[in-house]
Each structure stands twice: as structure tokens, then as C-alpha cells.
Amino acid sequence: MKKTVNINLAGTFFHIDEDAYGKLTRYLDAIKRSFSDPQGQDEIIRDIESRIAELFSEKVESKSQVISIKELDEVIAVMGQPEDYMIDEEIFEDVPPSQQAKSKERSYQKQLFRDEDNKFVAGVASGLSHYMGIDSIWVRLLWILLTVFSSGFFIVIYIIFWILVPAAVTTSDKLKMSRQQINITNIEKKLKEELDNASGKIKDADYNAVKEKAKSGASGFFGGLGSVFSALFKIFGKFIGILLIIISLSTLIGLIVGLFTTGTMGIVWGNHELMDYVNLVNTTNTPLWLFSLLALFAIGIPFFVLFILGLKMLINNLNSIGTVAKIAIFITWIVSVIGLGILGLRQATELAYDGESIEEVIIPVKAGDTLNLAMNSSNQYEYKVRRNSGFELKLNEDDEKIIYSNDVRLIVRSTQDSIGRLFIEKKAEGSSFIDAKNNAEAIEYNYTLNNNTLLLDGFLTCDIDNKYREQEVEVVLYLPEGSILFADENTYSFHRNSSHWDDILNNGDEEQYLLIQDDDTKCLDCPSFEAKIESEGWETRVNESFEYKSKKDGNSIKLNEDGLNINLSNEEDTIKIKLGN
């Protein structure tokens, strides 16, 4: 059981418990003692008491409610501590000028706050206008322009300012925000301004209350409807807060686990094969732990901000993490984003140029000669080769790690020259044309020609120190018209080219003797009946019965002993069928 006291504060009666009354008395006495000059003291005390009474009135829901220590502490937090009311020492003539300058420097503190008294959303632009000393309209216009030209990115910046920058709540905060000295004159002026605004609100509230009472019962209905909508919006806000917390927290946990594990692979696993693959594509030689740390901060900090925002939507009186911590987090995020941008540019510049190295070889094949063509595989690396992009790490005969790839393209073309030629074009990327050319020349690719049999490697290799730079080999074989080509079935995947490459060796022509003609071939040992289908830039030859269906447009052809059946999904579509050789 607590004893209560009735007090008259600025003409308003309040019920206050004994402990709160004692603390309020000590608070007002401390403010009086903080004044160095009694001039104007009574007027300012009256202003302060009026402001406290106004704040008490906002917290009292009924006339019988008792002011407790909790409500008093909330009011003191808004009003400020007694030391905030210290008078400017410049009014004393006996104070040395050096001490006066120091006192003025202490009382005038330039600090960034959000101005919630002049806000449209959260008071960020208005607070920045106070900090920079310009009109808030220009800050708002600049913010709108930056948001438009950054495709909305400055909305995220605004949210970050909203969370990290504190609002100017106390009188001293508002004086700091407006770049004014904290002295009696300014405190009195600020208090009077707030009292005038508060009295205006009270008059409006009283006028509105009278209007509400004068309205019919319909106003009560709409008021209740407004309360329902307000409750729904609050529930929706809580739901959004929970959703933000779940998304941000799960993302943060995933980032910490994934990126921390990735960043420590080199330290924990040493020479693990996975680290070799990472080092091959890391052309800048940036430490993996540094990249992981920058990525963690650059991606994680925005989600951390969303996490705090979600907590604030759920918890009304959530304590701030502190201005110093907010500034440190923001600076860390900016540095991380800039660092990732620099690393990305370095990585891009390492692969910015294409280089090539071309080798020309004479193939002693004339009209009437037959050339046998096949792809070679090495048991050291792979028993059977098939063309594909990408790369692998392999061990050579000296048990040294090398880059191994099957990215080899085979193209066969006809020529009117009397002898055949083979062009081996090695391709790679680099930070300059010279660097790219050197990387292309570093590719190892071999072939053998023995007794009219051309054996091409179905793979390429490269030293691991050269890194992976999109190395590939393009082999172009020119055969004179009138010569004969017999391609092994293992060449199928290597010459699987579209019409763009002008390749006369089509898929399905393997294991057949082909007479080289002008940009075409003629099968010498094919059955008397053969169908050649051209569709979507590809050519397919089939013998006897077959069935073909286009995945692109649904057109289909079926040939068997019952005859030829053609099904077109569109009347304007056409399919070319060439019968015979």
C-alpha cells in the first residue's frame, strides 16, 4: 500500500504517489540549483512545470489515475536532466574569455537527429536540413531525385537513417538538432514554443470533442469502424514485423554459417581439392576469407537492419543500440560494399579481353584420297571422350595437377584447293590482348596424322598456374573437293554444330564414306533410300523407318512400311525432306 499526494501543477490537479512526489520535488529543486543567475528563474520554472503538467495529462487516462515512478521517469526522459539547464557562463563578467569559449563550445554541439515535429515520414530529411543548415524542402527534393536516379536504392538508405539516427525527443536534443546553445534563453524559448503547440493541440482537441458530442449516432459508428481499421493495421504491422524477423534472421544465420565455412576452408582444409577449384577461378588471388567477410557484412548488415526494424514493429519501447554502434555499422557496410565492388572490377578486368593462337597444318589429302577422322582419348585422364564445356583438375604423368577440359569444337569444310589444311585455334581470356594471347598459347593440344588417319585430341590441358580463363580449342578441317571423309562415331559430340558454323559434317554422317562436294557431302555407301530432315538449323539423316518430332513447334514426321505421315501444327510451317543421296 502506497500513500498518494494531491498536487497542483500549473493549475492542474494530479494524484501522485509518495515516492514519485519526492522524486519530482528533488528534480525541480535540482533544476533550480542548476541556475547560476536567479534572473528569469521563476518564469522558466513555471514553463517547466507547465510542460511537465502537459506531459502528465497525456499519460493520465482517467482523473483517478495515480502518477507513479514509471510515468515520472518517462516525463523526466523527455524534459532532460537538470544539468541540461545550466546557464551559459558567458553572462558572468568575471569568467575568463578562454573559459567562456570552452563553455560555449560545450553548450553548442552539432549532432544529427530526426525531427519528428516537422516530418512527412520519419523526420530524416528535416533532421538533415537542421544538420546541414539548409531548408528542408531542398533536402526532400534532393532525396526524391536520388531515389529516382538510383532506381529506389535511396529508399533503403532512408530506412537505414530511420533506424540508426535517433529522434530529437528531449529539449536538449532539439536544441542540439537546431544548432542552438543549451542555455536558459534557448530552453525558455523552446519550452514556450512547445507549450504554444501543445495548447493549440488542446484547443483543437477540445473543439473536436465538442463537435463529436454534437454529431449524431452515425459518428459513433464511423468512429468504431475507424478503431476496427486501426486495430487491423496494427495487427498487419505486427505480422509484417514477424515476417521481417523470420526472413532476416534465417538469412543472417545462413550467411554466417555458409560464408564463415567457405572463408575458413583454406585454413581448416588446407590443400583440399575444393580449394584448388576455388583458386582456379579466383584470378585476382584474393584471400577467400577476405571475400567471405566482405560478403557477410555487405549482405548481412541490411538484413540486420531489417531484423531491428521488425523488432521495433513488435516492441514499442525497444532500446536503441547506440549512436556510436549505428555509425560503426553503417561505415562497415559502406566499406564492405566498396570492397566487393573493387574485387568484382578486378575479377572482371582479368577476363576482359579475348586472345587466340592459330596453328596451320598441311593435310596431304587430294581429290580421290580418303581421310579417316577420329577423336583421341588418353587413358591418363579419361577412357572415353565427349565434348562438354567447363573444366576439371587432373594429374598428369608426373602426378602434377593440371587443368583438363573437353571444350573442343570440330568443324569440317570444303575447299577448292588441291590439298587439305588443318587450323587449330586456341582461345582464352586475359586482362589485356597480350595477356589473353599468352594464355591461349599456354594451352596444350595435340594431334597425329599417320597413313591418311587424322587423330585429334578430344581434350585440352593447361598448367594450373594459368588459372581457368575460358580456355577452348576450335579445330577447322578443310578438305579438297573430290576427297572422301570417313568420320569415326566418337566425333559425333564434337561436330554437333548449328548452321552458323558452316559445318558440312552433319550428325548422323559418322561411320559412312562421304564425298566432299562444294559446301556439301554425298554419302557413297548409304542405302538406296534415305531421308534428310532440316529443322531449326539442324540436319538429320535417317535410313528406313523413323519418327521425328520437333520440340519447338510440335511438327512431326513418321516414316514406316505404311508410308510417310507429316503433321504440321501450323499451316504456314514447312518441312524439307530430301529423298535419295
Side-chain angles (χ1 to χ4, degrees), residues 131-368:
Y131 188 80
M132 295 184 291
I134 60 178
D135 195 276
S136 60
I137 185 64
W138 302 113
V139 179
R140 292 187 174 108
L141 287 175
L142 178 61
W143 205 283
I144 293 172
L145 292 175
L146 290 174
T147 301
V148 172
F149 288 113
S150 65
S151 300
F153 178 73
F154 266 78
I155 295 177
V156 179
I157 301 296
Y158 189 94
I159 295 175
I160 293 174
F161 270 94
W162 188 351
I163 296 174
L164 298 183
V165 177
V169 179
T170 66
T171 304
S172 59
D173 288 344
K174 293 178 181 180
L175 290 174
K176 292 177 184 178
M177 178 183 66
S178 57
R179 308 169 72 179
Q180 301 181 43
Q181 299 180 20
I182 304 177
N183 52 37
I184 288 180
T185 303
N186 289 332
I187 291 175
E188 180 184 9
K189 179 180 177 181
K190 180 61 68 174
L191 286 173
K192 286 184 177 181
E193 289 178 357
E194 294 181 359
L195 285 172
D196 291 340
N197 293 334
S199 62
K201 292 179 180 178
I202 292 175
K203 291 178 181 179
D204 292 340
D206 293 340
Y207 175 70
N208 290 333
V210 173
K211 285 175 60 180
E212 290 296 326
K213 290 180 180 179
K215 288 182 180 179
S216 62
S219 62
F221 168 76
F222 287 110
L225 189 62
S227 300
V228 172
F229 279 112
S230 177
L232 290 176
F233 278 122
K234 289 181 179 179
I235 295 174
F236 181 73
K238 300 293 184 183
F239 173 76
I240 295 296
I242 295 174
L243 193 62
L244 287 177
I245 290 176
I246 294 175
I247 294 175
S248 57
L249 191 60
S250 58
T251 304
L252 286 172
I253 294 175
L255 283 172
I256 293 173
V257 174
L259 295 179
F260 180 79
T261 303
T262 303
T264 56
M265 282 193 302
I267 301 175
V268 178
W269 294 352
N271 294 325
H272 194 271
E273 184 177 346
L274 182 58
M275 284 303 302
D276 292 332
Y277 280 96
V278 173
N279 291 329
L280 280 180
V281 297
N282 181 18
T283 57
T284 61
N285 294 320
T286 303
L288 187 59
W289 65 266
L290 177 59
F291 175 80
S292 300
L293 192 63
L294 292 176
L296 177 62
F297 288 144
I299 303 173
I301 288 178
F303 282 97
F304 175 73
V305 172
L306 290 178
F307 176 73
I308 297 298
L309 179 60
L311 286 179
K312 285 193 172 185
M313 296 177 72
L314 293 178
I315 305 174
N316 295 328
N317 298 323
L318 182 66
N319 293 329
S320 175
I321 62 176
T323 304
V324 176
K326 294 174 182 178
I327 295 174
I329 291 173
F330 181 71
I331 293 176
T332 302
W333 179 72
I334 291 294
V335 171
S336 301
V337 171
I338 294 175
L340 283 180
I342 293 173
L343 293 180
L345 288 176
R346 287 185 58 192
Q347 181 76 15
T349 54
E350 286 292 326
L351 305 174
Y353 296 89
D354 295 324
E356 57 186 23
S357 174
I358 301 177
E359 177 184 359
E360 182 180 357
V361 181
I362 300 297
I363 304 296
V365 177
K366 306 181 184 63

Side-chain angles (χ1 to χ4, degrees), residues 283-546:
T283 57
T284 61
N285 294 320
T286 303
L288 187 59
W289 65 266
L290 177 59
F291 175 80
S292 300
L293 192 63
L294 292 176
L296 177 62
F297 288 144
I299 303 173
I301 288 178
F303 282 97
F304 175 73
V305 172
L306 290 178
F307 176 73
I308 297 298
L309 179 60
L311 286 179
K312 285 193 172 185
M313 296 177 72
L314 293 178
I315 305 174
N316 295 328
N317 298 323
L318 182 66
N319 293 329
S320 175
I321 62 176
T323 304
V324 176
K326 294 174 182 178
I327 295 174
I329 291 173
F330 181 71
I331 293 176
T332 302
W333 179 72
I334 291 294
V335 171
S336 301
V337 171
I338 294 175
L340 283 180
I342 293 173
L343 293 180
L345 288 176
R346 287 185 58 192
Q347 181 76 15
T349 54
E350 286 292 326
L351 305 174
Y353 296 89
D354 295 324
E356 57 186 23
S357 174
I358 301 177
E359 177 184 359
E360 182 180 357
V361 181
I362 300 297
I363 304 296
V365 177
K366 306 181 184 63
D369 294 342
T370 299
L371 178 68
N372 297 305
L373 178 63
M375 306 304 295
N376 178 44
S377 62
S378 174
N379 293 335
Q380 178 74 28
Y381 307 123
E382 197 171 12
Y383 173 72
K384 189 176 181 180
V385 291
R386 180 180 178 84
R387 182 190 172 201
N388 54 67
S389 58
F391 69 98
E392 295 179 77
L393 283 174
K394 300 282 187 179
L395 295 176
N396 60 14
E397 58 273 6
D398 298 325
D399 291 335
E400 297 174 343
K401 291 180 180 178
I402 61 170
I403 299 175
Y404 174 89
S405 175
N406 296 117
D407 198 353
V408 178
R409 183 185 298 276
L410 172 62
I411 302 171
V412 178
R413 295 170 182 166
S414 63
T415 179
Q416 295 180 353
D417 294 341
S418 60
I419 195 169
R421 296 179 185 274
L422 179 68
F423 290 88
I424 301 176
E425 183 177 357
K426 303 174 184 178
K427 299 180 180 180
E429 296 176 343
S431 58
S432 65
F433 287 116
I434 299 297
D435 182 51
K437 183 178 180 181
N438 292 335
N439 292 332
E441 291 176 348
I443 297 174
E444 295 184 12
Y445 182 80
N446 300 309
Y447 69 95
T448 58
L449 179 62
N450 187 17
N451 296 329
N452 283 359
T453 297
L454 178 60
L455 197 60
L456 301 172
D457 280 355
F459 59 92
L460 63 92
T461 60
C462 185
D463 191 273
I464 195 172
D465 294 333
N466 292 317
K467 304 284 187 178
Y468 177 65
R469 300 177 183 270
E470 298 288 344
Q471 289 93 339
E472 62 177 327
V473 172
E474 186 176 296
V475 180
V476 184
L477 176 61
Y478 286 91
L479 294 177
E481 296 178 7
S483 61
I484 300 174
L485 173 65
F486 183 87
D488 191 275
E489 62 180 355
N490 66 1
T491 63
Y492 178 89
S493 62
F494 293 92
H495 69 84
R496 188 173 178 83
N497 304 314
S498 64
S499 58
H500 165 74
W501 299 96
D502 296 328
D503 186 4
I504 63 174
L505 179 59
N506 301 308
N507 287 126
D509 287 346
E510 301 81 17
E511 300 293 329
Q512 296 173 350
Y513 288 94
L514 305 174
L515 178 64
I516 304 300
Q517 298 179 336
D518 184 15
D519 293 333
D520 199 1
T521 61
K522 179 180 180 181
C523 182
L524 300 178
D525 60 343
C526 293
S528 58
F529 174 79
E530 180 186 58
K532 180 178 179 181
I533 302 174
E534 298 179 0
S535 178
E536 302 174 20
W538 297 84
E539 292 184 358
T540 303
R541 281 193 176 128
V542 291
N543 303 322
E544 300 177 354
S545 63
F546 72 95

